[in-house]
Amino acid sequence: MSGINTALVKLREAKSVGYWPNRIVSELEYLYHLSQENGGKYDSLIAEAIKLLQAKQKDDGCITQSAANQVEEMLSAAGKDAKEYRMICAAHAHIDMNWMWPWNETVAITLDTFRTMLDLMNEYPEFTFSQSQASVYKIVEQYAPAMLEEIRQRVKEGRWEVTASTWVEADKNMPNGESMARHILYTKQYLSRLLDLDPDTLNLNFEPDTFGHSENVPEVLAKGGVKYYYHCRGDEGHNLQRWVAPSGQSVIVYREPFWYLGGIEPDMAFGVPSLCNKYRLKTFLKVYGVGDHGGGPTRRDIERIMDMNTWPIFPTITFGTFAEYFAAVEKGADSLPEVTGERNFIFTGCYTSQSRIKMANRKGEAALSEAEALTAVGKLAAGADYSKTAFAKAWQNVLFNQFHDIIPGSGVIDTREYAMGLFQETLAAADTSKKLALQAIASEIDTSRFLDPDDDIRESRSEGAGVGFGVQQFRLSQTSRGAGKTRVFHVFNHSLTAREDLAEIVVWDWEGEPENMVFQDEAGNVIDHQVLDFGTNFYWGHKFVVVLIPAKVPACGYSTYVLSEDADLSPQVVFPRDPRVETIDEPVLENANIRAEFDPVDCTLVSLVDKRTGQELVDPTVPAGVFRLISEDPIRGMTSWRVGRYMDIKDLVENVKITKLEKGVLRQFITYEVEFGSSKLEVSISLDGDSTQLKYSVKCDWHEVGRKGQVIPQLNFYLPLSYQCTAYKYDVPFGVLTRQPLDMDVPANSWAQALTSDGGQSLVRIVTDSKYGFRGTDDALAVTLIRSSYDPDPYPELGIHQFQFSICVDDKMSNRGLIENAATLNHPLTVISARPEKGNLPLSQGFLALKSGNAAVSAVKLAEAADDALIIRVYETEGQETPVELSFAQSIKSAVLVDLTENEVPGGSIDINGNEVSFQLAAHSVASLKVQLV
């Protein structure tokens, strides 16, 4: 056997360049591999053929056509076995969205590629082509509608295969579960309309270049009617497999054995017998075509496919589609090996690179989640406008930026600039819809009792003040609608659980005495408040003060709070502020639940005690809660893709300046700043009321630059813990995942928790508002904040960054509790100013609540095909079946379970009782409920 192989190698090395030598040697090599799969069946025949070729080559000086034909005749007995194997050649043009180029070049790439494909189809009637990504069809519709008609015709003929079930070939780790659902919803909705396709035929998720895959991908795909998955990276196991999600849902996966790019070469056939036999098939898939920058299959590829199919000792080679291949696989699907878990990790630097794009993704997802929920209930309760078209376009912006070279940060400056432009459009749409809906609700709330006939508002300057204020902090514009000394504010909560949290209220041009400022709830109870900005603050011709109040807001609803001036009710007693004695400034933040002590010199965390258990949570022997400047080794290259070895770690503890230490009635905080290199860090650490989390609000003016072959600078936050961390828990799309300690960055949607098996009751978690790269190892938690990679963008992070994260002290709460707790950072309460007026709604109202069930809510929206029905999407969090109960402010007319494309799921059992509905939610699963209200 080895002798034949050696002879074939020598024959190939010695063969003359030309068609016939290449053909016959390739046939022999294929037959050799086929023989090995059949116990050496053709070894002797191959050996004789090789001897004949060697003799002919010696006599003629080369392998001639005559010699090749003679050898083919000698091998003819093997022809039937050779042709039993079929190679389906599926043509594709991998088009990276804005990878190394701007949007206008992406448009040109797409249209130029498709023109070539259509021209080749005209010339070669057997040629077929497959193309993924809804976004490229959107390009054709928008920029070349005449070409769209040609594509439609080829689609009808079955020669142009649409392999898109997602808006782009997306990252599968950083987008949240709801984003994954929207990829399927909007892609099937758009392409079925655009190309007159049955949505069920859009059943392939084509992800050749995606950098890893979350474990719940099969659950999402299956719930969206997607049966097949094609990918290349993130796994080194089986090439064909059934990938099973924790829920039990599965998809058939083909992992490309070669690469997703390339041309047609004879050696593509050599592995066909072994791969086919391994999976009990006679059919093999070859994906070909020039890609990344488009281009697609070439004339040479087409001619070679047609020619090689005529070779007598070679597989049957045909043009074909992915659908044909997976249809063949389906016949033996029950015997495919099963795999579970995530298919990771690859390119871990992509969890951090280009942090602005990642911030845009998180903020965009959050803004749309809030806007859809509040606009939906606003429509049902107050007739607010709900534009499905506007929401779809905004979501498509978010989905586009989830392309596997955009959100990972592996693009150029043009990539980022276009992504951030789409982000601005997304926020404009989301915030506008949300604001108009809240104003519609507010106009129906009866606040007439707060009209003060003695309040002279003729000289008021407050109405219209604050236009645009807060938008840069990703809040709704805090425009004032009230006048005089009595002001009405409505606090909104989009989540399906009631919340008690601090709300920030901006008061504009208030002419009362600050010491007589009083806030009351709807029952008239005076509540505490804390002024955050002492003195007068100015903004575009108006003055303001920011006040904190403790707000209680019903699930998916609102509550009302009123500001007035009343010296008799004011809880504050004001004494002269001149100091009488000097006290020690203790850098300690403490409430009834936790006590955090900071080093008075460098503001590192020297103690963090859970007062409920008495447990010390940080390691006192090393700096904890410390920002670090890390120098990464760039020797591996591809610096935006890869986190380099840590060459040097410098704790940012020198020349720390504490600028504020305040112990307010509702919020305590320490503010400090530190300069390092050419950069500056400003940090505010706060502790609210009875909270169990330390919130870090960070502003970093970053000027550290990566230098080729020298260094990649990284800003990192590090938290060594006092207990042994046996594993780490992370939130992932539509679920929670536990991983073993790993000395590498790993992805999470927003948080990581350090677990222990020693019986400790308190655990520590880091929750972020815009970061994705975490590292859990060596009894510590770390989050990577900024990385100055230098390729392909040499200066990706220069400038000012603002972000937040929290250190959370958790008891052993449920996964649902962890998810909801983290949501408070990513979804602060929303406040709007309103005028006192008559209305039909009460001062406090909840519209929709998750009453019970181990479930987290990912979406509340209007149904795509109905204006009087809601879609509520939930996912199970604890790994066991659970009853889920929802209550509404109105009676329920009907309720059914639907899939991610909002088609009814047969067999779902729903119980309706007045304004409540309940159903069973399977372990680890996602469910979508469509509810029509009376």
Side-chain angles (χ1 to χ4, degrees), residues 88-92 117 120-121 124-131 154 157-161 288 297 302 305 318-322 324:
I88 294 176
C89 294
H92 182 260
M117 296 304 100
L120 289 172
M121 283 183 165
Y124 294 95
E126 296 179 4
F127 171 57
T128 60
F129 177 69
S130 303
Q131 184 62 51
R154 295 308 185 191
E157 295 171 359
R159 294 180 61 201
W160 184 299
E161 181 187 29
Y288 71 103
I302 296 171
I305 289 170
T318 64
F319 299 105
T321 64
F322 290 88
E324 289 179 75

Side-chain angles (χ1 to χ4, degrees), residues 437-464:
L438 300 192
Q439 289 174 337
I441 295 172
S443 68
E444 295 295 323
I445 301 172
D446 187 3
T447 53
S448 56
R449 78 185 205 196
F450 301 118
L451 285 168
D452 185 353
D454 297 325
D455 198 358
D456 187 354
I457 63 173
R458 289 176 297 176
E459 293 295 316
S460 176
R461 302 183 67 250
S462 61
E463 291 168 292

Side-chain angles (χ1 to χ4, degrees), residues 8 23-32 34 42-50 52-53 67-82 312-314:
L8 282 171
R23 169 170 164 165
I24 192 59
V25 173
S26 296
E27 287 179 291
L28 282 169
E29 291 195 59
Y30 169 69
L31 185 58
Y32 171 71
L34 178 62
Y42 297 109
D43 283 4
S44 59
L45 186 61
I46 296 169
E48 291 179 20
I50 290 174
L52 176 60
L53 271 186
N69 290 338
Q70 189 174 348
V71 171
E72 285 180 343
E73 180 65 27
M74 177 187 296
L75 301 175
S76 60
K80 182 178 179 182
D81 286 349
I313 314 300
F314 227 52

Side-chain angles (χ1 to χ4, degrees), residues 264-265 299-309:
I264 298 298
E265 301 290 345
R299 179 183 300 277
R300 186 185 71 173
D301 294 327
I302 296 171
E303 291 284 352
R304 282 184 173 182
I305 289 170
M306 294 189 298
D307 176 59
M308 285 193 288
N309 188 48

Side-chain angles (χ1 to χ4, degrees), residues 50-107:
I50 290 174
K51 288 181 181 178
L52 176 60
L53 271 186
Q54 289 172 334
K56 293 288 186 180
Q57 189 176 34
K58 184 177 181 180
D59 292 342
D60 300 333
C62 65
I63 297 175
T64 64
Q65 178 179 353
S66 175
N69 290 338
Q70 189 174 348
V71 171
E72 285 180 343
E73 180 65 27
M74 177 187 296
L75 301 175
S76 60
K80 182 178 179 182
D81 286 349
K83 288 295 181 183
E84 278 187 350
Y85 292 95
R86 180 189 177 202
M87 288 193 71
I88 294 176
C89 294
H92 182 260
H94 185 61
I95 298 175
D96 280 324
M97 297 288 107
N98 296 20
W99 176 27
M100 295 282 190
W101 47 81
W103 167 247
N104 56 310
E105 190 166 343
T106 297
V107 171

Side-chain angles (χ1 to χ4, degrees), residues 565-675:
E565 182 182 42
D566 194 325
D568 294 331
L569 291 177
S570 175
Q572 297 184 357
V573 179
V574 180
F575 294 102
R577 295 184 179 181
D578 296 335
R580 309 300 175 89
V581 295
E582 188 168 343
T583 59
I584 298 173
D585 289 333
E586 290 186 304
V588 174
L589 302 180
E590 183 174 9
N591 60 18
N593 294 318
I594 64 174
R595 184 180 192 274
E597 180 181 348
F598 299 85
D599 188 294
V601 175
D602 58 30
C603 283
T604 57
L605 190 59
V606 297
S607 175
L608 179 60
V609 176
D610 186 341
K611 295 171 66 175
R612 301 166 297 180
T613 64
Q615 185 177 347
E616 172 62 66
L617 296 171
V618 298
D619 185 349
T621 65
V622 293
V626 60
F627 291 88
R628 309 187 299 176
L629 180 62
I630 294 173
S631 297
E632 296 178 26
D633 186 348
I635 192 170
R636 298 175 67 196
M638 297 182 70
T639 58
S640 65
W641 287 269
R642 291 170 167 160
V643 176
R645 175 185 63 88
Y646 289 3
M647 296 190 302
D648 182 61
I649 300 174
K650 180 180 180 182
D651 295 337
L652 301 181
V653 294
E654 297 180 0
N655 301 315
V656 173
K657 298 177 183 178
I658 298 179
T659 56
K660 186 178 290 187
L661 176 58
E662 184 172 330
K663 304 291 182 69
V665 64
L666 297 175
R667 175 174 292 168
Q668 326 166 34
F669 53 88
I670 297 171
T671 300
Y672 70 90
E673 58 187 43
V674 57
E675 296 184 6

Side-chain angles (χ1 to χ4, degrees), residues 682-699:
E682 298 177 38
V683 182
S684 178
I685 311 170
S686 62
L687 177 63
D688 291 348
D690 291 331
S691 173
T692 57
Q693 61 183 27
L694 293 174
K695 181 182 290 184
Y696 283 69
S697 297
V698 182
K699 178 180 179 181

Side-chain angles (χ1 to χ4, degrees), residues 215-227 242-253 338-341 905 922-927:
E215 69 172 358
N216 286 317
V217 167
E219 165 70 10
V220 179
L221 296 181
K223 291 296 173 65
V226 179
K227 301 167 62 177
R242 182 176 293 280
W243 185 15
V244 184
S247 66
Q249 296 284 350
S250 66
V251 291
I252 293 174
V253 177
E338 292 189 354
V339 298
T340 59
V905 176
H924 298 292
S925 69
V926 178

